[in-house]
Amino acid sequence: MTAIQTSDDSLFNDSHLEIEGNAAILKSFLQFGEENIKREIERLENVMPDSVSFNMDTKKGESEVKTFIDNFIQYTYNRAQYDFHFKQRLRQSIIIQLYSFMELYLTKQCEMYSVGLEEGVRFKDIKGNNELEKFKDFYKNSIKLNIVELDQKRWGFIKNLKVLRNKITHSQGKFSDEDTHGKLRSLENKKTYSLIKENASESYRIELEKDYIIVCIDEVSKFLKDLTVKR
């Protein structure tokens, strides 16, 4: 069995539209945020203090030198805010929104399937350590669909995405335990995602690239569609 049968084509179509609509909104929001940050960086560069033309060897008044230094420090601070902090907060927020949508969508799906269930455990009665495991158990035991076997690679991605979401939510993308490091290493891709070791400590911080956010949106969308496609 590779998919769930639905008797209502409109319900099936609505489910796909909901998934695709959420993906489109998140991608548009990401693009909007990235473009605005890029524009602000360009604006900063246009007013950046010109250290080349400001010849420190010539006689400058103390106030003039101080003003130049203050402006340059402010530019450096603002540039770091836009180029790192704002970009990372934007991308982290999309990971959180994406995962929240996935949980809400699967909860609604499981509750909907529970209504017409003639046998098997209803979703509200499933016990588990976390929602993701509850979804897996409900699909396997009550709908007879093994999510893990459906696509093992994607299931592994979703499980580790949960770890990533939790670290972003609860520790601002920083961690030090080796178990988390091992799980997140499996998600790491030098072009899209990296774990940065902070100074000489054993702690890491997560840096997300725009391309990686697109990958996450697409993977979650495919995962959810796999659970609503008709047989």
Side-chain angles (χ1 to χ4, degrees):
M1 182 177 186
T2 58
I4 295 172
Q5 184 175 15
T6 59
S7 57
D8 189 339
D9 283 345
S10 64
L11 182 62
F12 164 75
N13 292 331
D14 287 347
S15 295
H16 273 226
L17 286 174
E18 184 179 3
I19 295 168
E20 292 168 0
N22 179 72
I25 289 171
L26 289 179
K27 287 180 180 179
S28 295
F29 176 58
L30 174 65
Q31 187 64 25
F32 175 79
E34 295 281 347
E35 288 177 354
N36 275 277
I37 291 171
K38 181 181 178 182
R39 184 170 61 249
E40 286 302 308
I41 290 174
E42 290 173 349
R43 181 187 64 79
L44 281 174
E45 289 175 342
N46 289 333
V47 298
M48 178 184 69
D50 190 347
S51 59
V52 176
S53 62
F54 192 89
N55 191 342
M56 297 293 285
D57 293 333
T58 61
K59 290 184 178 181
K60 301 286 185 182
E62 182 179 343
S63 62
E64 192 176 0
V65 172
K66 184 178 184 302
T67 298
F68 170 79
I69 293 174
D70 288 346
N71 288 341
F72 194 82
I73 291 173
Q74 187 63 49
Y75 161 78
T76 304
Y77 172 78
N78 290 340
R79 175 63 189 258
Q81 270 199 319
Y82 284 113
D83 206 23
F84 177 74
H85 295 290
F86 286 11
K87 282 183 179 179
Q88 289 304 307
R89 294 297 176 92
L90 169 67
R91 295 164 188 171
Q92 289 176 359
S93 73
I94 293 177
I95 292 293
I96 294 171
Q97 293 175 66
L98 176 65
Y99 198 90
S100 295
F101 171 79
M102 182 182 73
E103 281 194 330
L104 177 61
Y105 179 87
L106 288 177
T107 297
K108 291 192 298 183
Q109 289 291 308
C110 290
E111 289 176 346
M112 179 188 69
Y113 289 126
S114 289
V115 172
L117 204 60
E118 295 180 358
E119 58 181 25
V121 181
R122 297 183 184 279
F123 180 66
K124 66 179 182 179
D125 299 321
I126 295 285
K127 306 298 181 183
N129 294 326
N130 59 71
E131 290 300 306
L132 200 56
E133 290 299 316
K134 288 174 64 177
F135 296 139
K136 183 190 72 173
D137 290 345
F138 177 77
Y139 273 89
K140 182 178 180 179
N141 298 322
S142 298
I143 305 180
K144 309 306 178 185
L145 176 66
N146 191 319
I147 295 178
V148 180
E149 293 180 356
L150 191 63
D151 191 324
Q152 292 187 0
K153 185 176 180 181
R154 185 164 293 137
W155 173 248
F157 184 95
I158 296 298
K159 284 183 66 178
N160 288 335
L161 182 63
K162 173 180 175 292
V163 176
L164 176 62
R165 188 285 307 261
N166 286 347
K167 289 303 173 184
I168 290 172
T169 303
H170 302 300
S171 58
Q172 295 188 322
K174 296 182 180 181
F175 64 93
S176 58
D177 58 291
E178 286 303 313
D179 181 54
T180 297
H181 184 249
K183 291 175 180 177
L184 293 183
R185 285 287 294 185
S186 67
L187 287 173
E188 187 174 15
N189 182 305
K190 294 301 180 184
K191 294 182 179 179
T192 57
Y193 172 95
S194 56
L195 301 175
I196 308 299
K197 196 167 186 178
E198 294 198 316
N199 302 321
S201 69
E202 291 301 317
S203 63
Y204 296 84
R205 74 171 185 272
I206 299 164
E207 289 190 9
L208 301 169
E209 295 295 333
K210 178 183 176 182
D211 289 346
Y212 180 74
I213 306 304
I214 300 296
V215 169
C216 289
I217 293 171
D218 289 341
E219 286 296 312
V220 168
S221 296
K222 291 172 185 175
F223 174 68
L224 296 179
K225 284 183 177 182
D226 280 347
L227 302 184
T228 47
V229 175
K230 294 180 292 184
R231 285 184 293 188

